[in-house]
Amino acid sequence: MLLSQLALPDRAAAEEASLTPAYIIERIEIRGNTKTRDYIIRRALRVRPGERLSVDDPRFEFSRYRVLSLGYFSDVRLKLEKGAARGKVVLVVEVVERGTIILTELFLGNSEATKAWGGLGLAETNFLGRGITIEGAFLLGADPEVERGKVQQSYLLRLSKRQLWNTPFSLSGYLRY
């Protein structure tokens, strides 16, 4: 009696799992992206064509959050559509792109040596739709109250790529003047 009671939860779990339909992903369609390249979105998905997927598979929701976490979209929806044959589906990823130009820094101030200084930093986080971040910033200061004082200035240009191809590596560099 005790042995059969232990087996019931396993049998019930197996029966419940068999009731959840599993489909084979025939292909992945991406809709709504006008700027971001398809490969950027596909790389974030946790499922691939040819894999089995059920609607309650945690990879389904995890893929949605991974695409959202790229920061290029205000909304991401995943849905399944009929495939060419029974048991096959098309995974449709619908995205709503958002603006990716952001204000990164705003500089304002004064000091005993300089009456005023200020600057601005801007970044495009999805340059050319390739997931490249390009950032520029500048800082200008008024004539300092020192001998042979000139307008003070500083410039920054930074480039970074979050993920190189399908590796866990990133690349970043900057120039300052």
Side-chain angles (χ1 to χ4, degrees):
M1 180 84 165
L2 185 61
L3 192 58
S4 65
Q5 287 175 339
L6 291 174
L8 274 177
D10 293 332
R11 197 177 321 143
E15 285 177 18
E16 187 177 324
S18 69
L19 294 177
T20 303
Y23 305 101
I24 295 175
I25 300 172
E26 183 177 295
R27 70 180 187 280
I28 298 173
E29 282 186 18
I30 300 171
R31 300 177 186 163
N33 60 322
T34 56
K35 182 178 178 183
T36 305
R37 307 290 175 143
D38 285 357
Y39 76 88
I40 300 285
I41 299 167
R42 287 181 198 281
R43 191 172 57 204
L45 296 174
R46 294 294 101 193
V47 292
R48 304 279 179 256
E51 291 183 348
R52 282 184 121 22
L53 179 73
S54 63
V55 291
D56 61 348
D57 191 319
R59 295 176 301 163
F60 196 73
E61 194 66 19
F62 186 56
S63 291
R64 178 178 178 270
Y65 288 122
R66 293 244 328 166
V67 175
L68 266 173
S69 71
L70 292 171
Y72 311 144
F73 310 106
S74 60
D75 191 23
V76 175
R77 294 176 191 259
L78 276 66
K79 65 181 183 177
L80 300 176
E81 291 183 354
K82 280 185 172 182
R86 185 179 177 116
K88 294 192 175 189
V89 293
V90 176
L91 174 62
V92 178
V93 181
E94 293 178 341
V95 297
V96 177
E97 289 182 309
R98 67 177 189 88
T100 53
I101 296 176
I102 57 173
L103 176 68
T104 58
E105 299 167 303
L106 182 60
F107 309 103
L108 296 170
N110 65 0
S111 68
E112 289 181 21
T114 304
K115 291 181 182 171
W117 51 269
L120 182 71
L122 292 173
E124 165 60 78
T125 60
N126 192 13
F127 186 64
L128 300 175
R130 298 182 188 272
I132 297 170
T133 299
I134 184 168
E135 179 181 354
F138 72 92
L139 180 67
L140 298 175
D143 290 333
E145 296 176 4
V146 295
E147 189 177 322
R148 291 185 279 153
K150 295 181 181 178
V151 173
Q152 298 174 352
Q153 53 190 325
S154 176
Y155 302 97
L156 169 74
L157 177 63
R158 184 181 347 225
L159 292 167
S160 64
K161 177 76 170 136
R162 197 181 327 188
Q163 185 179 10
L164 295 175
W165 303 284
N166 284 331
T167 68
F169 299 106
S170 62
L171 183 65
S172 181
Y174 65 91
L175 298 169
R176 287 186 188 209
Y177 170 77

